[in-house]
Amino acid sequence: MTAPLHEAHPTSPGRRLPDTQAGMRRRNLARVMHAVGADGPLSRAAIASRIGLTRAAVSTLVDELIRTGLLEELGPERPGRVGRPGSALTVSGRGPAGIGAEIGVDHLAVCAVDLRGEVRARAVRHGTNRGRPAEPVLEELTALVGQVVAEAEREGLWAAGLAVAVPGLVAPDARTVVRAPNLGWRELDLAPLLPTGLPLTVDNEANFGSLAELWLGDDAPRNFLHVSAEIGIGGALVVDGRLLRGTRGFAGELGHVPVRPEGPACVCGGRGCLEQYAGEEAVLRAAGLEPREDRVGLLGERAAAGDAEVRRALRGAGTALGIALTGAVNLLDPEAVVLGGALSGLAPWLLPSLEQELERRTAGSACPVTVSRLGPQGPLLGAAHSVARAVLDDPAAVAERG
Amino acid sequence: MTAPLHEAHPTSPGRRLPDTQAGMRRRNLARVMHAVGADGPLSRAAIASRIGLTRAAVSTLVDELIRTGLLEELGPERPGRVGRPGSALTVSGRGPAGIGAEIGVDHLAVCAVDLRGEVRARAVRHGTNRGRPAEPVLEELTALVGQVVAEAEREGLWAAGLAVAVPGLVAPDARTVVRAPNLGWRELDLAPLLPTGLPLTVDNEANFGSLAELWLGDDAPRNFLHVSAEIGIGGALVVDGRLLRGTRGFAGELGHVPVRPEGPACVCGGRGCLEQYAGEEAVLRAAGLEPREDRVGLLGERAAAGDAEVRRALRGAGTALGIALTGAVNLLDPEAVVLGGALSGLAPWLLPSLEQELERRTAGSACPVTVSRLGPQGPLLGAAHSVARAVLDDPAAVAERG
């Protein structure tokens, strides 16, 4: 009837494979890849004990993964151990790579991540994209992707797919930007404008940021609300280690949670939305500053330099965030709230009032608020890793294509 | 580290069985039960084509399910069809039954539901439980359960388990009531006080109500926010057909979403929470009425009789609900909001202002608000069905016990 609330996008990890013998084999290939990825190098016997299959079954699976270039054999383990020496296996540093791209308001970025999770190639172009027509922006992005793919190929990798993070809402088809107000884009299908020849997935930057947090964060919780910001306030919900997308793919719109119901009118049609208090423009206005290109940078600089007006404005934004997050914490009961993206740079001046408000309103059950270690890199890394992880989640699909 | 946000309770449907040959067999037994339950009576061939297994495989599974009393053979299909006549299979109207119980503020209720989903026995005791010690209340409930189990046994059923709905927060152990303010209970383990000999699951009434909506509602959405009320405002989130429980099992606390952040102080420690505007006591106060035993009944009667003060108070409650739901809809992007439990009876006077507020604030993306057909019966039915559905979800477990 409607799309499932959990990730329906093509690169979604954890999607169910059919429950047949063939499906079981595919899932077991994925288990081997994940075991070696998480804890490798590992011998066949060690893999077998980790995933609860017989050594014979694991050997068959491993042979297939070596043949398709996803695993590498490191050669026999050091002698001196009892029993027949096993050969340690590791995830290949050649083979498939995930290409991630980010369309920011003030930059374009592309990177390649191998199956080990290492960034192997990277390209960035600075300069505003605000108000530019989409065609030249996407032409530049296509060129940057070509550059990164070529660099990855020189390293013995091949691009398994492209995932693009955009600051806006994306349709469930995972290629159409429904609206990206800060770019001025509306109902725009990116696929024909990104002729890279790679399988394409487009998603909201906050969604990719939250996935990066889940996959790459230290001790990342499996259940959290990720809050980020460029101009608006973005949010993403991770539940049981999966992104909650919503019926139309719009879940996580924290920016339009009412904070003061009779407050200022918002572009969304409501009044007193969080963005009216904690969005960049609102904070700049409250601080009496004029917008310039790098707005968050401006706020961070001034706050760090001790500008009392800017600090007061950020304190007010923190209070508004605390009120909106009280509602979210009551509804979702997450393990943590994680501030990511541009917000992470402003955390020192937002957090005190935010935490005070949240604690006061959720007495005795306060939810910890943490700051992402990935900072503004989150969405780009999340995009690239989503492609690499889709390979780990279904290695057989790549083998069929490769 | 922490409990998964999705249902971890013992009777949770859809929990994953291990991915082994034996696990696959158990899942396939469940598929046969669900296929016959949804579309039966069905022949073995029809089951095979529905679930994508061979007829031989289905025959083996069906034989096991007949032997353990979960399926019944109706005898050969009518002649005149081409080919060897198949025997139609139906879910047994004898065999295991789910026992559901509800501890309400003003009543106790118990019912037995068979695997076909039919209520086969029922018992109710009216009278307030507010402020009574837990022991006599649970003694009475134990007696009612015994009465319903005995009645079910006279019908050829046997009780597979007991699920109890309570108006409060329940710990992840699914037996301890953390707090039920309207009963005055706190940190109370129900298991020793309900010596029925049956496997026990305790859960929040809004959770069971939302599951009833999911399982029994006409054209029920798979992604919705369920809002109910007795004294407080209860909520439950269903995502992809599963209950979202939260890290500590407390998700869905819509009642403490801030509506007007500088509003009246709330027992939770916050200010201006939804309960301060739309909880029963708040509405009674706003209407200038004294509380009596059946508060919702009182409000409904007066509103139906045209009492302007009560209608005004309910209109205000609807507005507050609309503000809180705007935040929830922005965060979750559900298919629908469903008003259930006691709120369903007040819907005619709550809905106009609620919908107006929600539509105004979520321009162009309004989420439909519907009223549960199950009304106040939802939680009790949800409890009983959760036990019956756990049998359908893992028939092998019952066969082992039976």
Side-chain angles (χ1 to χ4, degrees), chain A residues 320-346:
Chain A
L321 275 163
I323 294 169
L325 287 171
T326 297
V329 166
N330 268 297
L331 280 168
L332 298 164
D333 186 17
E335 276 173 77
V337 171
V338 181
L339 299 189
L343 276 186
S344 53
L346 300 175

PDB file of all heavy atoms in Angstrom, chain A residues 320-346:
ATOM      1  N   ALA A 320      15.396  26.336  22.520  1.00  0.00           N
ATOM      2  CA  ALA A 320      14.362  25.883  21.582  1.00  0.00           C
ATOM      3  C   ALA A 320      14.608  24.428  21.174  1.00  0.00           C
ATOM      4  O   ALA A 320      13.674  23.620  21.104  1.00  0.00           O
ATOM      5  CB  ALA A 320      14.342  26.788  20.354  1.00  0.00           C
ATOM      6  N   LEU A 321      15.874  24.088  20.922  1.00  0.00           N
ATOM      7  CA  LEU A 321      16.196  22.691  20.615  1.00  0.00           C
ATOM      8  C   LEU A 321      15.795  21.787  21.780  1.00  0.00           C
ATOM      9  O   LEU A 321      15.261  20.689  21.578  1.00  0.00           O
ATOM     10  CB  LEU A 321      17.703  22.537  20.351  1.00  0.00           C
ATOM     11  CG  LEU A 321      18.166  22.835  18.924  1.00  0.00           C
ATOM     12  CD1 LEU A 321      19.683  23.064  18.880  1.00  0.00           C
ATOM     13  CD2 LEU A 321      17.813  21.664  17.989  1.00  0.00           C
ATOM     14  N   GLY A 322      16.040  22.234  22.994  1.00  0.00           N
ATOM     15  CA  GLY A 322      15.688  21.435  24.178  1.00  0.00           C
ATOM     16  C   GLY A 322      14.194  21.181  24.274  1.00  0.00           C
ATOM     17  O   GLY A 322      13.755  20.077  24.623  1.00  0.00           O
ATOM     18  N   ILE A 323      13.383  22.191  23.940  1.00  0.00           N
ATOM     19  CA  ILE A 323      11.917  22.027  23.989  1.00  0.00           C
ATOM     20  C   ILE A 323      11.471  21.029  22.919  1.00  0.00           C
ATOM     21  O   ILE A 323      10.716  20.097  23.187  1.00  0.00           O
ATOM     22  CB  ILE A 323      11.205  23.387  23.798  1.00  0.00           C
ATOM     23  CG1 ILE A 323      11.514  24.314  24.989  1.00  0.00           C
ATOM     24  CG2 ILE A 323       9.704  23.206  23.634  1.00  0.00           C
ATOM     25  CD1 ILE A 323      11.091  25.770  24.785  1.00  0.00           C
ATOM     26  N   ALA A 324      11.980  21.203  21.689  1.00  0.00           N
ATOM     27  CA  ALA A 324      11.576  20.293  20.608  1.00  0.00           C
ATOM     28  C   ALA A 324      12.067  18.868  20.895  1.00  0.00           C
ATOM     29  O   ALA A 324      11.349  17.888  20.641  1.00  0.00           O
ATOM     30  CB  ALA A 324      12.136  20.781  19.274  1.00  0.00           C
ATOM     31  N   LEU A 325      13.267  18.748  21.444  1.00  0.00           N
ATOM     32  CA  LEU A 325      13.802  17.413  21.721  1.00  0.00           C
ATOM     33  C   LEU A 325      13.075  16.740  22.882  1.00  0.00           C
ATOM     34  O   LEU A 325      13.012  15.513  22.949  1.00  0.00           O
ATOM     35  CB  LEU A 325      15.304  17.489  21.985  1.00  0.00           C
ATOM     36  CG  LEU A 325      16.138  17.761  20.727  1.00  0.00           C
ATOM     37  CD1 LEU A 325      17.591  18.041  21.080  1.00  0.00           C
ATOM     38  CD2 LEU A 325      16.057  16.559  19.766  1.00  0.00           C
ATOM     39  N   THR A 326      12.504  17.527  23.797  1.00  0.00           N
ATOM     40  CA  THR A 326      11.700  16.934  24.875  1.00  0.00           C
ATOM     41  C   THR A 326      10.555  16.132  24.274  1.00  0.00           C
ATOM     42  O   THR A 326      10.286  14.994  24.675  1.00  0.00           O
ATOM     43  CB  THR A 326      11.135  18.035  25.799  1.00  0.00           C
ATOM     44  OG1 THR A 326      12.230  18.699  26.414  1.00  0.00           O
ATOM     45  CG2 THR A 326      10.217  17.442  26.849  1.00  0.00           C
ATOM     46  N   GLY A 327       9.883  16.734  23.298  1.00  0.00           N
ATOM     47  CA  GLY A 327       8.793  16.019  22.635  1.00  0.00           C
ATOM     48  C   GLY A 327       9.312  14.767  21.944  1.00  0.00           C
ATOM     49  O   GLY A 327       8.743  13.681  22.072  1.00  0.00           O
ATOM     50  N   ALA A 328      10.421  14.911  21.236  1.00  0.00           N
ATOM     51  CA  ALA A 328      10.973  13.775  20.487  1.00  0.00           C
ATOM     52  C   ALA A 328      11.408  12.655  21.426  1.00  0.00           C
ATOM     53  O   ALA A 328      11.178  11.474  21.152  1.00  0.00           O
ATOM     54  CB  ALA A 328      12.151  14.250  19.636  1.00  0.00           C
ATOM     55  N   VAL A 329      12.027  13.015  22.546  1.00  0.00           N
ATOM     56  CA  VAL A 329      12.491  11.998  23.503  1.00  0.00           C
ATOM     57  C   VAL A 329      11.295  11.295  24.135  1.00  0.00           C
ATOM     58  O   VAL A 329      11.294  10.073  24.319  1.00  0.00           O
ATOM     59  CB  VAL A 329      13.417  12.646  24.563  1.00  0.00           C
ATOM     60  CG1 VAL A 329      13.630  11.732  25.748  1.00  0.00           C
ATOM     61  CG2 VAL A 329      14.751  13.040  23.918  1.00  0.00           C
ATOM     62  N   ASN A 330      10.246  12.037  24.451  1.00  0.00           N
ATOM     63  CA  ASN A 330       9.043  11.421  25.002  1.00  0.00           C
ATOM     64  C   ASN A 330       8.396  10.460  24.009  1.00  0.00           C
ATOM     65  O   ASN A 330       7.876   9.414  24.380  1.00  0.00           O
ATOM     66  CB  ASN A 330       8.034  12.493  25.401  1.00  0.00           C
ATOM     67  CG  ASN A 330       8.191  12.920  26.846  1.00  0.00           C
ATOM     68  OD1 ASN A 330       8.002  12.114  27.744  1.00  0.00           O
ATOM     69  ND2 ASN A 330       8.567  14.158  27.054  1.00  0.00           N
ATOM     70  N   LEU A 331       8.426  10.818  22.746  1.00  0.00           N
ATOM     71  CA  LEU A 331       7.779   9.965  21.743  1.00  0.00           C
ATOM     72  C   LEU A 331       8.606   8.728  21.424  1.00  0.00           C
ATOM     73  O   LEU A 331       8.057   7.662  21.171  1.00  0.00           O
ATOM     74  CB  LEU A 331       7.562  10.748  20.449  1.00  0.00           C
ATOM     75  CG  LEU A 331       6.358  11.676  20.449  1.00  0.00           C
ATOM     76  CD1 LEU A 331       6.407  12.598  19.243  1.00  0.00           C
ATOM     77  CD2 LEU A 331       5.060  10.859  20.447  1.00  0.00           C
ATOM     78  N   LEU A 332       9.933   8.881  21.406  1.00  0.00           N
ATOM     79  CA  LEU A 332      10.779   7.835  20.829  1.00  0.00           C
ATOM     80  C   LEU A 332      11.589   7.056  21.855  1.00  0.00           C
ATOM     81  O   LEU A 332      12.076   5.973  21.561  1.00  0.00           O
ATOM     82  CB  LEU A 332      11.733   8.460  19.807  1.00  0.00           C
ATOM     83  CG  LEU A 332      11.009   9.113  18.632  1.00  0.00           C
ATOM     84  CD1 LEU A 332      11.937  10.034  17.873  1.00  0.00           C
ATOM     85  CD2 LEU A 332      10.450   8.030  17.708  1.00  0.00           C
ATOM     86  N   ASP A 333      11.804   7.634  23.036  1.00  0.00           N
ATOM     87  CA  ASP A 333      12.612   6.982  24.064  1.00  0.00           C
ATOM     88  C   ASP A 333      13.930   6.456  23.481  1.00  0.00           C
ATOM     89  O   ASP A 333      14.226   5.268  23.565  1.00  0.00           O
ATOM     90  CB  ASP A 333      11.791   5.834  24.705  1.00  0.00           C
ATOM     91  CG  ASP A 333      12.492   5.188  25.887  1.00  0.00           C
ATOM     92  OD1 ASP A 333      13.445   5.781  26.431  1.00  0.00           O
ATOM     93  OD2 ASP A 333      12.079   4.073  26.272  1.00  0.00           O
ATOM     94  N   PRO A 334      14.722   7.342  22.867  1.00  0.00           N
ATOM     95  CA  PRO A 334      15.982   6.892  22.268  1.00  0.00           C
ATOM     96  C   PRO A 334      17.073   6.717  23.326  1.00  0.00           C
ATOM     97  O   PRO A 334      16.928   7.195  24.448  1.00  0.00           O
ATOM     98  CB  PRO A 334      16.352   8.043  21.322  1.00  0.00           C
ATOM     99  CG  PRO A 334      15.779   9.257  21.977  1.00  0.00           C
ATOM    100  CD  PRO A 334      14.533   8.804  22.718  1.00  0.00           C
ATOM    101  N   GLU A 335      18.153   6.050  22.950  1.00  0.00           N
ATOM    102  CA  GLU A 335      19.294   5.937  23.862  1.00  0.00           C
ATOM    103  C   GLU A 335      20.021   7.266  23.992  1.00  0.00           C
ATOM    104  O   GLU A 335      20.621   7.543  25.020  1.00  0.00           O
ATOM    105  CB  GLU A 335      20.319   4.965  23.282  1.00  0.00           C
ATOM    106  CG  GLU A 335      20.089   3.520  23.554  1.00  0.00           C
ATOM    107  CD  GLU A 335      21.099   2.704  22.775  1.00  0.00           C
ATOM    108  OE1 GLU A 335      22.260   2.630  23.174  1.00  0.00           O
ATOM    109  OE2 GLU A 335      20.693   2.148  21.726  1.00  0.00           O
ATOM    110  N   ALA A 336      20.045   8.040  22.902  1.00  0.00           N
ATOM    111  CA  ALA A 336      20.806   9.284  22.892  1.00  0.00           C
ATOM    112  C   ALA A 336      20.290  10.201  21.799  1.00  0.00           C
ATOM    113  O   ALA A 336      19.638   9.757  20.859  1.00  0.00           O
ATOM    114  CB  ALA A 336      22.287   8.988  22.642  1.00  0.00           C
ATOM    115  N   VAL A 337      20.605  11.482  21.966  1.00  0.00           N
ATOM    116  CA  VAL A 337      20.459  12.452  20.888  1.00  0.00           C
ATOM    117  C   VAL A 337      21.875  12.800  20.448  1.00  0.00           C
ATOM    118  O   VAL A 337      22.745  13.039  21.292  1.00  0.00           O
ATOM    119  CB  VAL A 337      19.735  13.723  21.382  1.00  0.00           C
ATOM    120  CG1 VAL A 337      19.768  14.813  20.319  1.00  0.00           C
ATOM    121  CG2 VAL A 337      18.302  13.396  21.773  1.00  0.00           C
ATOM    122  N   VAL A 338      22.142  12.771  19.154  1.00  0.00           N
ATOM    123  CA  VAL A 338      23.477  13.073  18.641  1.00  0.00           C
ATOM    124  C   VAL A 338      23.404  14.343  17.795  1.00  0.00           C
ATOM    125  O   VAL A 338      22.619  14.406  16.840  1.00  0.00           O
ATOM    126  CB  VAL A 338      24.011  11.911  17.773  1.00  0.00           C
ATOM    127  CG1 VAL A 338      25.414  12.230  17.259  1.00  0.00           C
ATOM    128  CG2 VAL A 338      24.013  10.603  18.557  1.00  0.00           C
ATOM    129  N   LEU A 339      24.184  15.346  18.154  1.00  0.00           N
ATOM    130  CA  LEU A 339      24.279  16.548  17.315  1.00  0.00           C
ATOM    131  C   LEU A 339      25.369  16.311  16.279  1.00  0.00           C
ATOM    132  O   LEU A 339      26.510  16.011  16.629  1.00  0.00           O
ATOM    133  CB  LEU A 339      24.650  17.776  18.147  1.00  0.00           C
ATOM    134  CG  LEU A 339      23.695  18.208  19.260  1.00  0.00           C
ATOM    135  CD1 LEU A 339      24.137  19.569  19.811  1.00  0.00           C
ATOM    136  CD2 LEU A 339      22.264  18.282  18.774  1.00  0.00           C
ATOM    137  N   GLY A 340      24.999  16.457  15.005  1.00  0.00           N
ATOM    138  CA  GLY A 340      25.982  16.209  13.952  1.00  0.00           C
ATOM    139  C   GLY A 340      26.002  17.347  12.954  1.00  0.00           C
ATOM    140  O   GLY A 340      25.396  18.397  13.174  1.00  0.00           O
ATOM    141  N   GLY A 341      26.666  17.121  11.830  1.00  0.00           N
ATOM    142  CA  GLY A 341      26.740  18.111  10.762  1.00  0.00           C
ATOM    143  C   GLY A 341      27.239  19.443  11.301  1.00  0.00           C
ATOM    144  O   GLY A 341      28.081  19.501  12.207  1.00  0.00           O
ATOM    145  N   ALA A 342      26.696  20.526  10.747  1.00  0.00           N
ATOM    146  CA  ALA A 342      27.147  21.859  11.121  1.00  0.00           C
ATOM    147  C   ALA A 342      26.904  22.149  12.604  1.00  0.00           C
ATOM    148  O   ALA A 342      27.655  22.883  13.236  1.00  0.00           O
ATOM    149  CB  ALA A 342      26.418  22.891  10.262  1.00  0.00           C
ATOM    150  N   LEU A 343      25.860  21.536  13.164  1.00  0.00           N
ATOM    151  CA  LEU A 343      25.549  21.811  14.569  1.00  0.00           C
ATOM    152  C   LEU A 343      26.676  21.403  15.500  1.00  0.00           C
ATOM    153  O   LEU A 343      26.852  21.987  16.569  1.00  0.00           O
ATOM    154  CB  LEU A 343      24.282  21.066  14.999  1.00  0.00           C
ATOM    155  CG  LEU A 343      22.935  21.703  14.696  1.00  0.00           C
ATOM    156  CD1 LEU A 343      21.844  20.874  15.341  1.00  0.00           C
ATOM    157  CD2 LEU A 343      22.876  23.133  15.203  1.00  0.00           C
ATOM    158  N   SER A 344      27.451  20.363  15.078  1.00  0.00           N
ATOM    159  CA  SER A 344      28.485  19.870  15.974  1.00  0.00           C
ATOM    160  C   SER A 344      29.514  20.964  16.273  1.00  0.00           C
ATOM    161  O   SER A 344      30.056  21.029  17.371  1.00  0.00           O
ATOM    162  CB  SER A 344      29.149  18.613  15.405  1.00  0.00           C
ATOM    163  OG  SER A 344      29.596  18.859  14.078  1.00  0.00           O
ATOM    164  N   GLY A 345      29.747  21.865  15.301  1.00  0.00           N
ATOM    165  CA  GLY A 345      30.711  22.933  15.527  1.00  0.00           C
ATOM    166  C   GLY A 345      30.222  24.009  16.490  1.00  0.00           C
ATOM    167  O   GLY A 345      31.012  24.767  17.043  1.00  0.00           O
ATOM    168  N   LEU A 346      28.902  24.079  16.657  1.00  0.00           N
ATOM    169  CA  LEU A 346      28.341  25.104  17.550  1.00  0.00           C
ATOM    170  C   LEU A 346      27.977  24.526  18.918  1.00  0.00           C
ATOM    171  O   LEU A 346      27.476  25.249  19.796  1.00  0.00           O
ATOM    172  CB  LEU A 346      27.100  25.734  16.904  1.00  0.00           C
ATOM    173  CG  LEU A 346      27.331  26.435  15.559  1.00  0.00           C
ATOM    174  CD1 LEU A 346      26.015  26.909  14.966  1.00  0.00           C
ATOM    175  CD2 LEU A 346      28.288  27.617  15.732  1.00  0.00           C
TER     176      LEU A 346
END
